[in-house]
Amino acid sequence: EMQLVESGGGIVQAGGSLRLSCAASGFSFDGYAIAWFRQAPGKDREGISCFNTNSDTTHYADSVKGRFTTSSDNAKNIVYLQMNSLKPEDTAVYYCAADLFCSLNPDGFGIHNLWGQGTQVTVAS
């Protein structure tokens, strides 16, 4: 079964850091685009980064550019989201998803409905 599982969420003080993991199982993420999205209570789901495994490049939303960084461990089939200088407005459930092409638009993203279950990030002020 193809699936994505996020981990690494938690509670952190403003200005702190967290590293989220998105582990793929049942398939290799080579050739896919792995995107991170987040959804805060009462808000629409927001795309924050998309990692293109073919070009090894990442596109970031302006809201996280310069603070968040994506990396990957191909041997472990994991994509990471390093989040630094966290702000209370970063509080949300964070999801990863896979598709053939990068997009920060969550609508329609996720080939084979490949979305993780989400991990909660809470940034305390």
Side-chain angles (χ1 to χ4, degrees):
E1 180 186 4
M2 301 170 66
Q3 61 178 351
L4 297 171
V5 178
E6 305 96 338
S7 61
I11 302 173
V12 64
Q13 293 292 317
S17 299
L18 279 175
R19 189 178 75 164
L20 305 184
S21 299
C22 174
S25 63
F27 73 106
S28 168
F29 62 65
D30 277 346
Y32 286 86
I34 306 296
W36 286 94
F37 300 88
R38 66 186 181 186
Q39 189 163 20
K43 294 190 176 181
D44 293 335
R45 191 166 293 189
E46 173 193 16
I48 58 173
S49 76
C50 192
F51 172 59
N52 186 321
T53 63
N54 288 321
S55 61
D56 199 26
T57 57
T58 305
H59 176 59
Y60 298 96
D62 289 343
S63 58
V64 304
K65 197 173 294 181
R67 300 188 299 123
F68 291 11
T69 304
T70 297
S71 63
S72 66
D73 184 328
N74 290 2
K76 295 182 179 179
N77 222 19
I78 297 175
V79 173
Y80 301 101
L81 181 68
Q82 177 68 42
M83 306 186 296
N84 298 327
S85 302
L86 283 162
K87 306 174 182 180
E89 51 264 43
D90 293 318
T91 295
V93 178
Y94 283 70
Y95 302 88
C96 63
D99 212 315
L100 296 181
F101 302 100
C102 258
S103 175
L104 295 185
N105 186 347
D107 295 335
F109 193 91
I111 191 169
H112 308 308
N113 200 31
L114 274 172
W115 281 79
Q117 82 289 351
T119 186
Q120 176 71 46
V121 171
T122 302
V123 184
S125 58

